[in-house]
Amino acid sequence: MPEPLPASKRSDADEGRAARYAALETAAPTLDESALRRQTRRSVLTGGAASLVALLGWRWLQTGPDDNNIPVTLRRGHEFNEALWRRLSGRTAPTFDRSRSSMLRVNGRHGIGDEIDLVAWELTVLGPDGSEWGRHVLADITALPKVELTVEHKCVEGWSHVVTWGGARFSDFAALYADRLGSESTDYVALVTPDRGYYVGLDMASMLNPQSLLAYELEGEPLTQDHGAPLRLATPNKYGIKCIKRIGTIQFTNDRPTDYWYERGYDWYAQL
Ligand SMILES: Nc1nc2c(c(=O)[nH]1)N[C@H]1C(S)=C(S)[C@@H](COP(=O)(O)O)O[C@H]1N2
Ligand SMILES: [Mo]
């Protein structure tokens, strides 16, 4: 059994975090809880995504990786929402009843060979020029709305397994940076282990898919180190190679990030 993760790494961090939350609340309208409660699940997703895109701005919409005819479509106001929804969510992978899921095998230890001190762990967020946008303890992620998803995890090696992830939507996390994302051009997200031994890159649309999670639980338990504690990526729309375990750094970037398995001959997009 993993040790329970501490709510924060040090007690004086609480004050700093409270101040950050106060600042974030004004920066992140999609996190307004009373507004969220008033909406249906579907419209929460649509509304959250739409607010984020409004903040991300037109440039991102028009220059994204799969925007074929979107600028044309966007000239027509009544088709705006549909285009936005397609653009942002992509496909939705099937979900399963929780009873069908069971513990995942451990597969791949690049960048996680040694155990880390989970208390000392921090998530660093960088902007396109490499400057630091923020730092997070796990409590910052668990404070976001929690999502549980029972989905099929598929590995390029040819096996798949139905599993239940628990975590925060990446889109909710990105909304914490809505102001900065609105003024910078960021088509991609690069995620790297603390030792830089494993790294993945995903396009922004795939990351903003509501099924793309920053996961801290597997089968209802905190992640073990082997499965990527304290925080990993989980998305049923990409092969397992993209589901990086033990995220240390998240960089918003305009250049397509390199990727551990892309460099070794696999498809960069790795879409399912
Ligand atoms: N840091 C890191 N993350 C990783 C890997 C890895 O080697 N190192 N392997 C990937 C692959 S190929 C798969 S299938 C999944 C497996 O996740 P699991 O070990 O929790 O089953 O993790 C992915 N994330
Ligand atoms: Mo995999």
Side-chain angles (χ1 to χ4, degrees):
M1 285 291 291
E3 284 177 45
L5 298 176
S8 64
K9 57 182 222 125
R10 53 181 185 274
S11 54
D12 70 339
D14 292 341
E15 278 178 35
R17 199 158 44 241
R20 270 186 288 160
Y21 280 138
L24 291 171
E25 224 160 323
T26 41
T30 59
L31 293 180
D32 177 40
E33 284 191 20
S34 55
L36 283 179
R37 274 194 294 269
R38 269 182 265 121
Q39 294 174 306
T40 64
R41 187 179 128 78
R42 172 84 183 195
S43 69
V44 165
L45 296 180
T46 314
S51 325
L52 186 56
V53 154
L55 287 155
L56 288 174
W58 290 104
R59 198 196 163 279
W60 178 74
L61 256 183
Q62 287 168 340
T63 59
D66 52 8
D67 59 354
N68 298 326
N69 55 7
I70 290 217
V72 177
T73 310
L74 289 186
R75 279 185 217 124
R76 308 178 60 175
H78 67 278
E79 284 175 11
F80 178 81
N81 283 327
E82 186 194 338
L84 216 51
W85 182 249
R86 270 196 307 134
R87 165 93 181 125
L88 281 170
S89 60
R91 87 185 267 271
T92 300
T95 54
F96 302 86
D97 191 83
R98 175 79 185 255
S99 64
R100 289 199 42 197
S101 81
S102 59
M103 188 47 86
L104 197 57
R105 78 186 74 176
V106 172
N107 202 61
R109 290 175 193 272
H110 302 286
I112 62 166
D114 299 320
E115 299 226 325
I116 53 162
D117 179 354
L118 298 178
V119 175
W121 174 88
E122 277 190 335
L123 175 66
T124 305
V125 178
L126 304 176
D129 63 358
S131 64
E132 186 175 309
W133 279 9
R135 278 173 178 271
H136 298 274
V137 292
L138 189 62
D140 295 342
I141 314 300
T142 58
L144 296 168
K146 185 179 176 183
V147 176
E148 291 204 314
L149 265 188
T150 302
V151 290
E152 200 171 4
H153 175 90
K154 294 183 184 173
C155 177
V156 289
E157 293 163 2
W159 54 270
S160 72
H161 191 96
V162 175
V163 70
T164 300
W165 301 110
R169 283 188 200 94
F170 183 81
S171 60
D172 285 335
F173 176 77
L176 300 178
Y177 291 93
D179 276 357
R180 306 192 80 141
L181 290 170
S183 54
E184 301 264 357
S185 176
T186 51
D187 289 339
Y188 299 98
V189 181
L191 303 100
V192 185
T193 57
D195 70 356
R196 312 194 64 80
Y198 196 77
Y199 37 91
V200 299
L202 289 94
D203 62 284
M204 189 65 128
S206 295
M207 289 300 286
L208 295 180
N209 182 301
Q211 291 182 317
S212 293
L213 305 184
L214 291 176
Y216 45 82
E217 285 182 5
L218 175 59
E219 294 300 309
E221 299 285 342
L223 289 175
T224 59
Q225 299 247 0
D226 281 344
H227 285 294
L231 195 67
R232 70 177 293 169
L233 186 66
T235 169
N237 296 299
K238 299 285 178 185
Y239 276 107
I241 48 175
K242 292 290 191 188
C243 298
I244 183 172
K245 298 189 275 192
R246 192 190 287 170
I247 304 167
T249 305
I250 292 177
Q251 181 171 17
F252 293 101
T253 174
N254 201 32
D255 302 313
R256 196 176 83 164
T258 187
D259 186 288
Y260 185 90
W261 284 113
Y262 172 71
E263 290 177 347
R264 287 156 183 80
Y266 285 89
D267 164 40
W268 185 86
Y269 203 49
Q271 185 79 6
L272 280 165

